[in-house]
Amino acid sequence: QVQLVESGGGLVQAGGSLRLSCVLSGRISSINGMAWYRQAPGKQRELIAGITSDGNTNYADSVKGRFTISRDNAKNTVYLQMNSLKPDDTAVYYCNADRVRSWIWETPRDYWGQGTQVTVSS
């Protein structure tokens, strides 16, 4: 069974940094890419950074230049380095695995982690 486990959230002052990690486990036949989303109280979940299986990255305008997504294929881990954090970055951050197949004949599906809280104080 495919699982995603996030870690690295916490409380940080504005201007500080955090690094989130997401470990992907289970049988993977193919995967389109991985991404980080976040959801603040009363708001919809939003995509903030993604990385494809080819290593191409994309970012939401709100985090561009401050956040960096990267991956370590040997460790099946995706990271989100967050610098120059702002109070508006406060949210639960979720890791997503996009269009995953455990077996080649399966219909691809997405998987989500349980979320990790990031709180930025002013």
Side-chain angles (χ1 to χ4, degrees), residues 24-90:
L24 174 65
S25 64
R27 179 182 173 87
I28 305 292
S29 172
S30 65
I31 182 170
N32 186 60
M34 295 188 71
W36 287 95
Y37 288 70
R38 69 185 180 189
Q39 187 166 19
K43 295 187 177 181
Q44 288 188 327
R45 190 174 296 189
E46 61 170 341
L47 172 65
I48 56 170
I51 184 166
T52 68
S53 57
D54 295 333
N56 294 314
T57 59
N58 63 282
Y59 298 92
D61 288 343
S62 59
V63 306
K64 201 171 292 183
R66 299 188 299 122
F67 290 10
T68 302
I69 188 170
S70 63
R71 66 183 185 186
D72 183 334
N73 289 334
K75 296 181 179 180
N76 287 332
T77 302
V78 173
Y79 303 98
L80 185 68
Q81 178 66 44
M82 305 186 294
N83 299 328
S84 302
L85 283 161
K86 306 174 183 179
D88 284 350
D89 295 318
T90 295

Side-chain angles (χ1 to χ4, degrees), residues 2-14:
V2 175
Q3 288 187 323
L4 297 171
V5 178
E6 301 115 331
S7 62
L11 173 64
V12 64
Q13 287 189 333

